[in-house]
Amino acid sequence: MKYKFWFIVGSQLLYGEEVIKTVENRAREMAQMLSQVLPVPLEYKVTAKSNEEICQIIKEANYDDSVAGIVTWCHTFSPSKMWINGLANLQKPYCHLATQYNKEIPNEEIDMDFMNLNQAAHGDREHGFIGARLRLPRKVIAGYWQNEDVQKKLGTWMRTAIGVMVSRSLKVMRFGDNMREVAVTEGDKVEVQAKLGWQVNTWAVGDLVKEMSLVTDKDIDELMEVYKASYDIATDNIEAIRYQAREELAMKRMMDRQGARAFSNTFQDLYGMEQLPGLASQHLMAQGYGYGGEGDWKVAAMTTIMKAMGENGNGASAFMEDYTYHLVENNEYSLGAHMLEVCPSLACNDQRPRIETHHLGIGMNEKDPARLVFEGKAGEAIVASLVDMGGRLRLICQDVMCVKPIMKMPNLPVARVMWQAYPTLTEGLECWILAGGAHHTVLSYDVTAEQMRDWARMMEIEFVHINKETTVSSLEKELFLNDIAWRLK
Ligand code: MN
């Protein structure tokens, strides 16, 4: 889906035609100029002067699937009671851009006509009040519209709004059920669908096996060429790779047929399959599909959404698992990996992922599964985990700093990422555990914690952020107050 945003400018009739014409021309010019630097187009729609015009444009925005949100601004004053009926029905992400057409107060030119035309300083406050009064989930971005940081903020928010749109129409294909006895991967699918829009349904592994039998050698040959172009083949077991290609094509076909963009499976349910999908899942993730291991459909869906929120609509975001620690004092790290399935979008840019085959003891693998092995890149990142608290969803996000893995680990047969966590690995861990964060996360290098906060606000779910400033006592207090607030909601 190619998304766009609508620029809706507030005004009123009492200014007269000339002022309104000037506002329209300027708003159109602003939208055109901004569209050149924003990740998706901002389309000027209307300078709204009445309740009817506002209601009409918001109805149209709700109806048009390609509109991912509205951006409002008041060049002149727009009495906010005329916005109430429209905003009460708004179903799309909403950003209030508090800006001004001109950058400077023109010393010589300024007179009362100028003042009447350039009223954003009070127009935007009147507009802001009604958003607060109606308790609307919204983003407020203030600053001069040609400033790079304002444009960057708006662009980042747009990508977050696209994450909202992706969420609301997301279908998740579960191959089999969750891993037996695991608690955190469970959740209320009805609540999730009502709140986040996800359609989470199950397909039998037998259906997948049947689909795999329909994949031809020619199809596999073609996909093998794609693998060879992107990865180094570091095994003689070509049949194992071809088997993964068969699995990938079958899963992709089943998902595409249903319009699903995320999937989960579990090593406990591979009846009729020779290998747990490793390379297959990794290459699907590289194409923007979300994945969760052990039947973790929540992390699968979050991976899809965060990929869509990243750079170019398929950023460096991946299903991740905290695996093991390095607990040397003042030199503490978490080692993240999974049994097989780590997305190559995390790979260090200076090395090509290798396709290797190794024995996998866990699960029902008859054959050694092929998987991509690589090191994750260094850089600032976040990890995010969505948990079901019973009656509400909580999104937990933590800032981390990924490093080049401090040891080679030549016998580790899986892709690996290493990071330090904020405020420190151990205090961050205490916070994470207190908040109920899962062992599975989405790790992302290009989606920010601010984006996740904005996303959670738009989805109307709880958000907890563990960062440099967080302490155990501050977090405990926050969780306690959140618990009360969400029970009252
Ligand atoms: Mn796992």
Side-chain angles (χ1 to χ4, degrees):
M1 171 72 79
K2 286 252 180 275
Y3 290 108
K4 62 189 172 202
F5 289 76
W6 281 359
F7 192 34
I8 299 173
V9 178
S11 192
Q12 60 184 333
L13 286 164
L14 65 80
Y15 293 107
E17 244 176 71
E18 203 186 320
V19 166
I20 298 292
K21 200 80 226 147
T22 306
V23 170
E24 281 176 355
N25 289 337
R26 288 178 172 185
R28 190 172 288 112
E29 178 199 338
M30 288 164 74
Q32 278 166 0
M33 275 183 70
L34 286 168
S35 292
Q36 289 168 18
V37 292
L38 293 170
V40 283
L42 178 67
E43 220 170 72
Y44 168 72
K45 281 310 278 190
V46 70
T47 297
K49 302 165 288 296
S50 68
N51 185 303
E52 290 72 19
E53 273 182 305
I54 293 161
C55 284
Q56 185 57 36
I57 199 68
I58 286 178
K59 263 194 269 183
E60 286 174 31
N62 286 341
Y63 185 77
D64 189 335
D65 287 340
S66 68
V67 175
I70 63 165
V71 178
T72 59
W73 169 55
C74 296
H75 189 313
T76 50
F77 197 79
S78 182
S80 273
K81 279 165 76 176
M82 68 170 67
W83 285 78
I84 294 174
N85 302 58
L87 286 177
N89 289 325
L90 179 65
Q91 295 166 346
K92 291 287 170 78
Y94 168 28
C95 174
H96 177 181
L97 178 63
T99 189
Q100 184 167 275
Y101 177 77
N102 55 305
K103 189 173 192 174
E104 295 176 25
I105 295 173
N107 181 34
E108 297 289 331
E109 191 194 323
I110 191 162
D111 57 13
M112 224 43 221
D113 284 345
F114 181 94
M115 295 282 269
N116 281 331
L117 177 61
N118 298 284
Q119 296 186 336
H122 61 282
D124 275 325
R125 285 165 206 254
E126 168 70 1
H127 188 64
F129 166 73
I130 206 64
R133 175 64 182 80
L134 297 176
R135 273 86 175 164
L136 294 173
R138 68 205 154 121
K139 180 75 175 176
V140 180
I141 297 173
Y144 185 53
W145 60 284
Q146 293 189 38
N147 276 3
E148 211 177 305
D149 66 317
V150 169
Q151 296 172 347
K152 196 166 169 249
K153 271 189 195 173
L154 184 56
T156 303
W157 174 80
M158 284 175 155
R159 294 207 314 267
T160 309
I162 288 171
V164 172
M165 298 300 287
V166 168
S167 178
R168 286 181 180 163
S169 60
L170 183 61
K171 293 183 180 179
V172 184
M173 184 169 274
R174 304 169 69 221
F175 294 108
D177 207 327
N178 293 36
M179 178 180 166
R180 287 185 282 275
E181 304 289 357
V182 178
V184 79
T185 58
E186 296 287 352
D188 182 341
K189 300 190 197 75
V190 173
E191 172 73 10
V192 164
Q193 187 163 354
K195 215 66 197 178
L196 309 179
W198 306 351
Q199 302 164 59
V200 184
N201 288 296
T202 306
W203 275 257
V205 174
D207 290 335
L208 176 57
V209 171
K210 197 165 139 197
E211 190 71 37
M212 281 165 56
S213 73
L214 302 175
V215 175
T216 66
D217 281 341
K218 188 169 161 290
D219 300 331
I220 292 172
D221 291 342
E222 279 169 22
L223 186 51
M224 287 294 286
E225 289 308 313
V226 176
Y227 290 163
K228 278 181 207 159
S230 315
Y231 313 126
D232 288 342
I233 294 183
T235 174
D236 296 330
N237 191 351
I238 301 301
E239 275 316 305
I241 304 175
R242 291 182 68 86
Y243 192 81
Q244 290 282 334
R246 181 182 294 280
E247 291 178 326
E248 176 181 335
L249 288 164
M251 288 191 287
K252 186 171 188 307
R253 284 172 192 175
M254 285 181 69
M255 281 195 278
D256 290 350
R257 219 177 283 145
Q258 298 292 335
R261 293 292 292 170
F263 68 109
S264 64
N265 57 18
T266 166
F267 62 88
Q268 280 177 336
D269 191 356
L270 298 175
Y271 192 87
M273 294 168 80
E274 293 174 3
Q275 301 175 26
L276 175 65
L279 170 62
S281 296
Q282 291 173 295
H283 192 244
L284 282 168
M285 279 188 271
Q287 295 163 72
Y289 295 88
Y291 170 77
E294 289 91 67
D296 192 341
W297 48 270
K298 294 199 299 298
V299 83
M302 287 310 299
T303 306
T304 309
I305 292 164
M306 289 173 69
K307 277 180 175 296
M309 281 162 60
E311 299 289 342
N312 308 314
N314 184 14
S317 300
F319 167 58
M320 185 51 60
E321 182 168 78
D322 286 80
Y323 232 107
T324 196
Y325 299 125
H326 187 67
L327 289 178
V328 175
E329 260 172 54
N330 301 320
N331 197 26
E332 292 145 327
Y333 297 96
S334 189
L335 181 68
H338 205 254
M339 257 182 280
L340 303 172
E341 313 91 339
V342 181
C343 177
S345 67
L346 305 188
C348 205
N349 296 327
D350 63 356
Q351 43 173 270
R352 268 159 65 98
R354 297 181 307 280
I355 300 177
E356 300 182 8
T357 52
H358 299 277
H359 175 67
L360 179 63
I362 199 161
M364 329 194 304
N365 298 277
E366 294 167 24
K367 302 267 174 72
D368 295 353
R371 82 289 305 272
L372 290 169
V373 180
F374 56 86
E375 282 185 346
K377 55 190 170 190
E380 294 274 0
I382 57 166
V383 287
S385 167
L386 181 75
V387 294
D388 187 330
M389 295 299 290
R392 76 171 187 278
L393 298 162
R394 170 181 286 166
L395 181 65
I396 305 153
C397 186
Q398 184 175 25
D399 296 344
V400 301
M401 170 62 88
C402 296
V403 298
K404 182 177 168 56
I406 60 167
M407 58 275 281
K408 286 271 176 223
M409 300 174 278
N411 295 313
L412 183 67
V414 289
R416 73 293 302 266
V417 184
M418 194 173 255
W419 63 82
Q420 295 165 331
Y422 293 106
T424 63
L425 187 87
T426 47
E427 193 166 9
L429 172 61
E430 287 168 1
C431 291
W432 188 267
I433 286 174
L434 283 167
H439 54 288
H440 285 167
T441 59
V442 183
L443 181 136
S444 180
Y445 291 87
D446 61 1
V447 175
T448 63
E450 185 184 355
Q451 279 183 284
M452 297 315 292
R453 180 187 297 278
D454 289 345
W455 186 82
R457 186 188 307 111
M458 288 190 266
M459 305 319 294
E460 300 186 61
I461 62 169
E462 183 188 357
F463 180 75
V464 175
H465 184 201
I466 301 165
N467 56 40
K468 237 183 265 173
E469 269 81 51
T470 311
T471 61
V472 167
S473 63
S474 72
L475 185 90
E476 276 184 320
K477 193 172 163 197
E478 181 184 342
L479 295 175
F480 173 73
L481 293 175
N482 280 4
D483 224 22
I484 297 168
W486 282 91
R487 274 165 213 241
L488 292 174
K489 237 176 136 86

